[in-house]
């Protein structure tokens, strides 16, 4: 898109190197070429901007093969405007003098023309080709047919369009058909994989058998050497037992002699200890007898003293009790009957058990009051 600036009713256009600009004023062509830069009046100027760089047009469309199978074609067409004057005359490449934007959609028109032309030739080619052949050689055939068709198309040179290259990236059937076509190849690959697995297992089994044979031979050799080792160990054990028996015999004789000596020494020591213990026991018995005699005499003296003291105390207590009893009888003999009754009640109260509460019924209270009233009247 051209870069347009404003200055006091004038416009300045600065084009790109890849854009061919044509400037008309009326019927006169004032400027014509790529990468131009000039001033113009917007009311009298008619400007067209035609891109002259290579452009990529991607297209995807469906086609049907000779055996009525649907396929998807993905292709790209590279083109450019070879004659900008013809293209500007056939298509609307005019731009707005204020913004520099195309007034129409010329590139979309070119894309539609190229897409429909390429699709027409591709459909015609695939309609006569079976699916299997199209999947094998269809990409090259379709590419060549589209390139030839676009080259021979008279509308493109008449519009100033040149086709640079045609590429077909993919030609694919429907997913179900593609999975069905892949099945035989997958089965063959699986069979090859199974065969390789079986061969690998056979080799592994053979190697395992060789390893097992080597292990068996090793075990036999180990068993033979172990047998020799057992025999040698038995010989060594017998020799060691004989040496141990001789050593034990010498050791037993020495131990017996030492035991006899120890027994004799222990017997002599026991006799001495027995004599000493007997003498000690005799001395202890004599000392214990003397101590017992002394303790008996002391205990007899203490018993006589205690008996005398108890007799004197009992005699004094009896005399005191007799004096108190005679005094008590003398006092009671001199007291009147009411005083004796009061003392008797007091003594009886001292010996009665403790009474927490007394319940007086109305009948008892009435009788007591009646007796008290009669006593007062008397």
């Amino acid at each position: 898109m051209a870069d347009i600036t404003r200055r006091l009713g004038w416009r300045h256009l600065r084009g790109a190197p890849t854009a061919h600009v044509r400037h008309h004023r009326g019927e006169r062509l004032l400027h014509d070429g790529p990468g131009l830069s000039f001033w113009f009046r917007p009311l009298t100027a008619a400007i067209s901007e035609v891109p002259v760089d290579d452009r990529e047009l991607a297209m995807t469309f469906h086609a049907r093969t000779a055996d009525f199978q649907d396929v998807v074609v993905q292709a790209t067409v590279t083109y450019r405007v070879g004659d900008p004057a013809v293209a500007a005359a056939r298509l609307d490449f005019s731009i707005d003098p204020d913004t520099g934007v195309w007034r129409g959609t010329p590139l979309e028109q070119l894309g539609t023309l190229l897409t429909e032309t390429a699709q027409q030739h591709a459909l015609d080619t695939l309609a006569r080709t079976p699916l299997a052949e199209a999947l094998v050689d269809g990409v090259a055939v379709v590419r060549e047919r589209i390139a030839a068709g676009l080259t021979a198309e008279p509308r493109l040179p008449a519009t100033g369009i040149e086709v640079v290259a045609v590429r077909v990236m993919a030609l694919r059937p429907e997913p179900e058909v593609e999975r069905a076509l892949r099945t035989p190849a997958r089965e063959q690959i699986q069979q090859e994989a199974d065969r390789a697995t079986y061969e690998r297992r056979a080799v592994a089994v053979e190697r395992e058998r060789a390893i097992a044979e080597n292990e068996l031979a090793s075990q036999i050799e180990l068993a033979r050497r172990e047998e020799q080792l057992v025999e040698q160990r038995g010989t060594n054990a017998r020799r060691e037992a004989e040496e141990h028996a001789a050593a034990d015999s010498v050791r037993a004789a020495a131990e017996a002699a030492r035991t006899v000596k120890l027994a004799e020494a222990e017997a002599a020591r026991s006799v001495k200890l027995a004599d000493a213990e007997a003498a000690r026991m005799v001395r202890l018995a004599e000392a214990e007898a003397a101590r017992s005699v002394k303790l008996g005499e002391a205990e007899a003296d203490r018993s006589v003293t205690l008996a005398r003291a108890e007799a004197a105390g009992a005699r004094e207590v009896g005399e005191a009790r007799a004096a108190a009893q005679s005094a008590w009888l003398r006092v009671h003999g001199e007291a009147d009957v009411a005083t004796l009754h009061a003392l008797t009640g007091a003594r009886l109260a001292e010996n009665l058990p403790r009474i927490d509460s007394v319940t007086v019924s109305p009948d008892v209270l009435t009788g007591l009051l009646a007796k008290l009233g009669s006593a007062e009247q008397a």
Side-chain angles (χ1 to χ4, degrees), residues 46-349:
I47 302 175
S48 299
E49 184 183 20
V50 181
V52 294
D53 57 336
D54 291 349
R55 292 184 173 265
E56 301 284 342
L57 177 63
M59 58 186 71
T60 302
F61 54 88
H62 290 264
R64 180 168 294 181
T65 61
D67 46 3
F68 303 101
Q69 297 296 325
D70 190 15
V71 294
V72 178
V73 181
Q74 295 179 356
T76 301
V77 176
T78 304
Y79 70 95
R80 67 169 175 263
V81 179
D83 192 345
V86 175
R90 297 294 300 271
L91 299 175
D92 185 10
F93 281 97
S94 62
I95 62 174
D96 191 300
D98 293 328
T99 61
V101 179
W102 281 317
R103 297 179 183 274
T105 55
L107 295 182
E108 293 182 4
Q109 295 177 6
L110 287 178
T112 302
L113 176 60
L114 291 172
T115 300
E116 291 179 351
T117 303
Q119 185 175 357
Q120 176 183 357
H121 295 292
L123 293 176
D124 183 61
T125 300
L126 292 174
R128 296 191 299 270
T129 306
L131 177 62
E133 184 179 350
L135 294 178
V136 176
D137 302 324
V139 173
V141 173
V142 171
R143 181 178 64 250
E144 294 174 358
R145 184 68 182 87
I146 292 176
L150 292 176
T151 303
E153 178 64 33
R155 291 185 58 190
L156 297 181
T159 315
I161 304 301
E162 295 179 1
V163 177
V164 178
V166 176
R167 298 189 303 276
V168 177
M169 281 75 70
L171 196 153
R172 288 188 174 182
E174 293 182 348
E176 294 81 2
V177 178
E178 188 174 5
R179 284 194 295 269
L181 293 175
R182 289 178 180 176
T183 301
R186 289 182 178 177
E187 291 294 335
Q188 184 177 0
I189 294 172
Q190 186 64 38
Q191 291 176 3
E192 294 292 335
D194 293 341
R195 182 163 57 253
T197 302
Y198 297 150
E199 293 176 356
R200 186 170 61 253
R201 288 181 180 177
V203 173
V205 170
E206 183 65 22
R207 291 179 180 176
E208 289 179 358
R209 185 182 62 79
I211 293 171
E213 291 179 355
N214 293 334
E215 290 179 353
L216 181 59
S218 300
Q219 290 177 1
I220 294 173
E221 181 65 20
L222 289 174
R224 185 177 63 79
R225 293 185 180 182
E226 187 174 359
E227 182 179 0
Q228 295 176 357
L229 180 62
V230 170
E231 292 177 358
Q232 185 65 35
R233 285 180 177 176
T235 303
N236 296 337
R238 286 194 299 272
R239 185 178 301 171
E240 186 178 359
E242 292 174 356
E243 293 178 357
H244 286 174
D248 291 341
S249 177
V250 174
R251 190 181 301 109
E255 185 69 21
R258 188 175 67 84
T259 303
V260 170
K261 291 180 181 180
L262 290 175
E264 292 176 354
E266 184 66 23
R269 190 175 67 83
S270 299
V271 170
K272 291 180 180 180
L273 289 176
D275 294 341
E277 184 67 20
R280 189 178 67 81
M281 292 299 294
V282 169
R283 288 194 299 271
L284 289 175
E286 292 175 353
E288 184 66 23
R291 189 176 67 83
S292 298
V293 171
K294 291 180 180 180
L295 289 176
E297 292 176 354
E299 183 66 25
D301 294 340
R302 188 177 67 81
S303 299
V304 171
T305 303
L306 288 176
R308 291 175 180 176
E310 289 178 357
R315 185 172 55 255
E316 291 176 358
V317 170
E319 293 176 355
R321 286 182 178 178
Q325 186 70 22
S326 61
W328 184 79
L329 292 175
R330 187 172 54 255
V331 170
H332 284 73
E334 296 174 357
D336 56 357
V337 177
T339 301
L340 293 177
H341 287 171
L343 292 174
T344 302
R347 183 62 59 87
L348 180 61

